[in-house]
Amino acid sequence: MTTTVTSLEALSMFPEGQGEEILTPDAVQFLRELDLRFEERRVKLLSDRRSRQEQFDRGVLPAFLPETEAVRRRDWIAAPIPPELLDRRVEITGPPDRKMIINALNSGANVFMADFEDSNSPTWTNCIEGQRNLRDANLRSISWCSAEGRVYQLGPNPAVLFVRPRGWHMVEKHSCLSGTPISASLFDFGLYFFHNYQILLQRRSAPYFYLPKLESHLEARLWNDVFLFAEEYAGVPRGTIRATVLIETIPAAFEMDEILYELRYHSVGLNCGRWDYIFSFIKKFRSRPDFVLPDRGAITMEQPFLRSYVELLIHTCHRRGVHAMGGMAAQIPIRNDAQANEEAMARVRQDKLREVRAGHDGTWVAHPGLVPVAREIFDEHMKAKNQIRMPAEKQSPITEKDLLQIPEGCITEAGVRRNIDVALQYIESWLRGNGCVPIYNLMEDAATAEISRAQLWQWIHHGARMDDGRTVTIEICENLLGEVLWQVERSIGAKAWAASKFHRAAEILKRLSGGGFQDFLTTAAYADLP
């Protein structure tokens, strides 16, 4: 079997030596070993996802698994949490961009999650440069100089670094084995682990990961086996690698105990990936007119199905001795409007207060400016390093019905327009290589763009009615898209418009909004990326 990790043309995109220093022969061999051992299982698990979707399309709803009831009922706890991870009260996330890494590590957050997934546009350059940036960060040699000559360097007490690889559904088209692209999950994990485990262990740290978009405990088992193999390959003890799983799909919400059990030697918690969770709710029940959701703005964490999901996650994590991490505050500081900024910060405070009172052990922010805001709330209400404790049995256990309550609210023309606007702007930026985009004072990533485009599809497909009595149709959406494009062209000017990718973004959005449902925006548009 021949290994072709990349073409010479792809490597030539980097300054001399920079691609080769990441794709070394030994690193390539490790990727090859991962692919040989785990690719067949990955493909089978993706087939299982499709089969499960067919069941949902026939009206079958998810349920707690009878065959794993013993795991849910039994008393067991995960491996002890490493000392440097006991306090994770504020975590910041962002792409593995060099400046972002430095600012995030210096932000005062406990953890920085470098993201190859939702906030990264997976161009070849971004993926390889991201690996180089993370290696340099772990070496404590990372620096960056702006065009104005300002030098950015690490401070004396940087945050602990986690890495989120891409999900099981994605491939890395530039790295092939016998002509077949390698799993993007294995590619991102493999390169980071290979280049950093020794550096981290010498500093008495370890490789830490966030695992995205899992849909079953069998997918968690695959990750656990990947970790075990990597530890054996490197000659390090079992449990060296630690991971937090994002519960951001509906099927995973019904298998939280099982997911933690599969990863019990490697787990340090679960996270409420709330935006992807809403997207999954739309995607999994897309064939059902009785599951049509209202405007995105109406789907708050106070909705019963989201409250139940949060309560179940916290209870499950604390029963198993691991962290229950809260969700993302997408707001960013508004520097030119003091009143609007204070209103945005008040929303962040309210959200973080809800999380800490619910029992979360930490929370996410998208901007360094929000770290002090979130920390103030958690410092005031969480005096210990976390809130992990063995909880008493719940008076009213969360039921399957609780997790599937349909949110109340209406659909408005403003909501339709906002979804078109946000999805269009995000896709255009993603096509240009930027996956983390400030839009209307919110930091949008692939998860929020997925909600926007999936809602458009759902409303059109089921002929949903707006609050003014009109039906959402393709014609209405295309007319609104034309208006949004015209407004964007006017606002950015002719030169920027000519250099933009808005026409292509509009074509992709039309394709995603009509016809058959596309599982992921990022896979549907991946062919457009260099």
Side-chain angles (χ1 to χ4, degrees), residues 30-171:
F30 182 54
L31 293 179
R32 182 174 183 272
E33 296 290 344
L34 289 172
D35 182 86
L36 288 171
R37 281 165 174 77
F38 301 111
E39 175 64 3
E40 185 176 344
R41 283 175 61 189
R42 181 187 78 91
V43 171
K44 171 62 168 62
L45 288 168
L46 293 180
S47 176
D48 292 345
R49 285 188 185 183
R50 291 189 291 272
S51 298
R52 200 168 189 182
Q53 182 61 55
E54 290 172 1
Q55 293 180 339
F56 294 150
D57 291 342
R58 292 196 299 269
V60 177
L61 290 175
F64 297 115
L65 303 178
E67 62 268 31
T68 56
E69 183 178 0
V71 171
R72 295 193 297 277
R73 287 185 175 277
R74 235 176 26 238
D75 286 330
W76 52 268
I77 58 173
I81 295 172
E84 70 174 336
L85 298 183
L86 286 173
D87 192 334
R88 296 168 61 186
R89 66 189 62 215
V90 182
E91 300 191 346
I92 186 170
T93 77
D97 167 81
R98 203 165 183 86
K99 180 184 176 184
M100 175 71 203
I101 290 172
I102 297 170
N103 285 340
L105 290 174
N106 289 341
S107 67
N110 301 76
V111 166
F112 167 51
M113 185 197 77
D115 186 19
F116 285 96
E117 165 74 7
D118 278 355
S119 64
N120 181 58
S121 173
T123 66
W124 182 233
T125 300
N126 284 351
C127 291
I128 296 299
E129 282 294 290
Q131 293 285 350
R132 191 169 71 93
N133 295 339
L134 294 174
R135 182 207 59 188
D136 291 351
N138 284 324
L139 286 169
R140 301 297 192 242
S141 65
I142 190 170
S143 64
W144 184 79
C145 185
S146 71
E148 298 75 29
R150 181 182 175 187
V151 176
Y152 293 72
Q153 294 178 316
L154 285 187
N157 189 31
V160 177
L161 181 61
F162 275 62
V163 171
R164 176 161 68 169
R166 284 168 283 179
W168 284 131
H169 61 286
M170 298 190 74
V171 298

Side-chain angles (χ1 to χ4, degrees), residues 201-265:
L201 290 175
Q202 287 168 5
R203 215 173 54 239
R204 297 187 178 180
S205 187
Y208 302 134
F209 295 92
Y210 261 97
L211 305 180
K213 299 192 172 50
L214 270 64
E215 295 198 10
S216 74
H217 69 284
L218 297 179
E219 294 183 16
R221 182 181 297 171
L222 176 56
W223 267 120
N224 193 68
D225 289 346
V226 169
F227 294 165
L228 290 171
F229 170 75
E231 289 163 345
E232 182 181 1
Y233 191 94
V236 300
R238 182 182 72 173
T240 296
I241 299 168
R242 292 304 185 94
T244 301
V245 173
L246 292 118
I247 301 298
E248 52 187 355
T249 69
I250 292 294
F254 289 84
E255 300 184 33
M256 293 187 202
D257 268 310
E258 294 89 333
I259 287 169
L260 284 177
Y261 185 78
E262 295 294 344
L263 287 158
R264 61 195 180 279
Y265 300 113

Side-chain angles (χ1 to χ4, degrees), residues 411-486:
I411 300 167
T412 66
E413 180 181 311
V416 177
R417 183 187 295 271
R418 181 68 169 229
N419 278 349
I420 291 169
D421 194 353
V422 168
L424 178 74
Q425 290 196 56
Y426 182 82
I427 294 169
E428 193 275 337
S429 182
W430 190 87
L431 292 172
R432 288 187 290 104
N434 180 16
C436 191
V437 189
I439 303 175
Y440 303 125
N441 302 316
L442 295 175
M443 193 64 78
E444 306 281 3
D445 65 8
T448 49
E450 292 280 35
I451 296 173
S452 296
R453 66 91 180 181
Q455 282 200 307
L456 293 173
W457 185 94
Q458 185 186 52
W459 294 340
I460 293 169
H461 184 76
H462 292 295
R465 288 196 175 276
M466 291 185 278
D467 60 347
D468 60 10
R470 288 180 297 157
T471 299
V472 182
T473 63
I474 290 177
E475 291 73 23
I476 286 176
C477 290
E478 289 190 350
N479 287 338
L480 290 173
L481 175 59
E483 292 176 15
V484 170
L485 283 167
W486 180 76

Side-chain angles (χ1 to χ4, degrees), residues 482-521:
E483 292 176 15
V484 170
L485 283 167
W486 180 76
Q487 290 166 353
V488 170
E489 183 177 5
R490 286 188 62 196
S491 67
I492 67 175
K495 185 176 180 181
W497 178 260
S500 77
K501 294 184 178 291
F502 276 106
H503 281 301
R504 179 58 182 153
E507 291 173 357
I508 291 171
L509 181 56
K510 287 180 184 178
R511 176 159 55 94
L512 292 170
S513 302
F517 190 91
Q518 301 284 319
D519 277 348
F520 293 100
L521 178 166

